[in-house]
Amino acid sequence: MRAISSTSFAVFGAGLIAIGYGIARFAFGLFVPPIREELALSTSVIGLIGSLPLISFVLATLIAPAAANRLGARLAAIVSGLFGILGLALISQASNALMLGSGVFACGICTGLMMPALTTGMQAMVKRSLHARVSSVMNAGTSVGIIVAVPTVLFMADAWRLAYVSFTVLAALGVVATWFFLPSISPVTPANAAPPPPLNALPWSRLLRLTLFASLMGFVSSAYWIFAPDLVITLGGLSASTTGWLWFAVGLAGLGGAFVADLADRNNPPITQALMLMMLSASLLLLAASPSQPLLAIFSALIFGLAYMSLTGLYLMTGIRLLPGRLSVGPVLPFLAVSLGQATGSPAIGALINAFDYATTFSVIAVLGIVIALLSPLFPGHIYQENDDELDEQTGLQAAYDHQLRDEAGEPLEDPFQDSEEEGAITKPSRH
């Protein structure tokens, strides 16, 4: 396998994330209206099905770090892609709720395995001074995948099966490319790295508050991810192709999420979380109040995309900061919490819509989001070090990664790749 540059790794990883997250996971909401109509499914059933990929995501994520370390980046990513192919193919041929649910469940496994596989490769192949940049590019793949899915809705609004066949082919191409371009590699912890803090020394109170906030945000956001397209069609009478522009706006605005999250970590994380949660709630209220106005609906999607991606980025950085020396757990914990919230929110919101209506349900969920925002002073902010004057130099995603590995004196461990070219080839320390 040829050596691979950090730039190539970042771009290729973003492509795989686009397939695993943007298409296999988040594109489902786009096709809920035609799927629900053709298969004669109620909103309650759709809500239950919408929770399945989130449940499987959680289950897959629990074993993903160990699996990635054991199999190596290439094989772990291939296994992820194979589950994506299976899930997308099942959805394309679904004739009932059971087959549809099996497909979205498999897609959730794909999503849960993909990022840990790529993170494993990044730890081994990319020097730490570039981890934030590479991670940000890969995370942007979610938004890119959502945007890529939009043309299928615009031109195949009434042909969702054909759209999922095209997604299946795209996932298969991703697996083939993974075999050729992604090395089978596992990270090696430097011998001079200090062991991570013992479990009894972890900031459990902060970790619990992070988990609760991330779960509650996931609960609130599930209303938009699963039911927003169906709302504008059912309640607003808009065409199916209009939902494509909703997701385009979500993906486009989501690209700015990493930038906002980095600024949040540099300034005041609790206040930023409160603002983003208020924006998330505003997007729900705006969509429920004006579902028949395309421009306002798209504006609500822009607000939602920026708020959601900013919040997930903020939770990612917080998780890494609170769990130094445990890079296989720090990024995973907040995403697990968000997915658990979405997994419980999807069926609950579907049942509320079935019992009441879209406008009432979205309004209630928006109020819940506002209440959570008011509790944001409890969100875990910075852990101040002895020299608070250096705080400005210790914020942001790169600072979080820099402080993952430390020496016995507690200082960031020297990067063994420090003298290599920033964009040059990086040799791999181990191979399977």
Side-chain angles (χ1 to χ4, degrees):
M1 175 64 62
R2 294 179 307 168
I4 185 172
S5 71
S6 56
T7 299
S8 299
F9 184 88
V11 173
F12 186 72
L16 294 182
I17 292 297
I19 296 172
Y21 278 72
I23 291 177
R25 179 175 173 181
F26 288 125
F28 177 71
L30 274 173
F31 297 94
V32 162
I35 291 175
R36 188 164 77 89
E37 182 178 356
E38 181 171 334
L39 301 184
L41 303 176
S42 67
T43 53
S44 296
V45 172
I46 284 293
L48 288 171
I49 292 174
S51 71
L52 292 177
L54 305 168
I55 294 173
S56 60
F57 171 84
V58 171
L59 296 176
T61 302
L62 290 174
I63 65 169
N69 288 336
R70 177 66 177 171
L71 298 176
R74 180 204 297 162
L75 291 180
I78 286 176
V79 171
S80 169
L82 291 175
F83 272 106
I85 293 172
L86 174 63
L88 294 168
L90 284 173
I91 295 173
S92 72
Q93 303 301 314
S95 58
N96 52 55
L98 179 61
M99 194 170 180
L100 180 65
S102 299
V104 298
F105 189 87
C107 285
I109 297 176
C110 164
T111 308
L113 294 176
M114 184 59 75
M115 184 58 86
L118 292 172
T119 300
T120 294
M122 182 184 74
Q123 292 176 53
M125 299 171 62
V126 179
K127 63 179 183 178
R128 287 194 294 276
S129 61
L130 293 176
H131 279 189
R133 188 182 307 175
V134 171
S135 181
S136 295
V137 171
M138 291 196 301
N139 287 336
T142 300
S143 295
V144 173
I146 294 171
I147 293 172
V148 168
V150 169
T152 62
V153 180
L154 297 179
F155 299 108
M156 293 186 285
D158 298 321
W160 61 272
R161 294 185 185 276
L162 181 59
Y164 268 93
V165 168
S166 68
F167 293 160
T168 305
V169 172
L170 190 60
L173 292 175
V175 168
V176 173
T178 298
W179 177 260
F180 284 104
F181 296 112
L182 190 63
S184 185
I185 189 170
S186 293
V188 176
T189 302
N192 58 338
L199 293 178
N200 60 3
L202 293 177
W204 288 108
S205 173
R206 289 172 173 269
L207 288 169
L208 178 60
R209 282 179 279 153
L210 169 64
T211 302
L212 287 175
F213 275 114
S215 298
L216 291 170
M217 191 280 284
F219 187 98
V220 173
S221 67
S222 64
Y224 212 103
W225 281 123
I226 302 299
F227 295 105
D230 203 36
L231 183 151
V232 298
I233 292 176
T234 303
L235 190 62
L238 299 181
S239 64
S241 62
T242 304
T243 62
W245 293 112
L246 285 183
W247 255 224
F248 180 83
V250 169
L252 188 64
L255 291 173
F259 177 73
V260 173
D262 204 70
L263 287 178
D265 194 50
R266 183 171 296 278
N267 294 289
N268 193 310
I271 289 179
T272 303
Q273 187 203 226
L275 292 174
M276 293 300 107
L277 282 171
M278 294 294 284
M279 288 176 60
L280 200 71
S281 300
S283 69
L284 296 174
L285 288 172
L286 184 59
L287 193 67
S290 307
S292 61
Q293 302 296 321
L295 292 180
L296 289 178
I298 291 172
F299 182 63
S300 79
L302 288 170
I303 297 174
F304 175 81
L306 179 61
Y308 180 86
M309 297 301 179
S310 298
L311 286 167
T312 53
L314 177 60
Y315 298 154
L316 168 68
M317 279 188 289
T318 306
I320 294 174
R321 282 185 175 281
L322 295 180
L323 291 167
R326 292 181 169 86
L327 195 56
S328 62
V329 180
V332 169
L333 176 65
F335 286 118
L336 273 176
V338 170
S339 294
L340 283 172
Q342 291 173 333
T344 54
S346 180
I349 293 169
L352 284 173
I353 293 172
N354 200 45
F356 300 99
D357 55 46
Y358 275 106
T360 300
T361 300
F362 269 55
S363 299
V364 170
I365 299 302
V367 171
L368 174 61
I370 294 172
V371 172
I372 299 169
L374 294 175
L375 297 175
S376 287
L378 299 175
F379 183 78
H382 297 300
I383 298 178
Y384 288 87
Q385 308 297 327
E386 292 182 4
N387 188 355
D388 288 344
D389 294 336
E390 297 180 359
L391 180 63
D392 287 343
E393 300 177 3
Q394 300 175 347
T395 57
L397 185 57
Q398 185 57 54
Y401 280 119
D402 287 342
H403 286 78
Q404 276 300 299
L405 294 178
R406 306 185 186 189
D407 57 24
E408 294 295 339
E411 296 297 324
L413 200 64
E414 183 179 353
D415 193 338
F417 296 145
Q418 193 65 43
D419 296 330
S420 66
E421 289 294 328
E422 183 169 298
E423 301 299 335
I426 298 173
T427 57
K428 45 193 178 299
S430 67
R431 182 194 295 249
H432 292 281

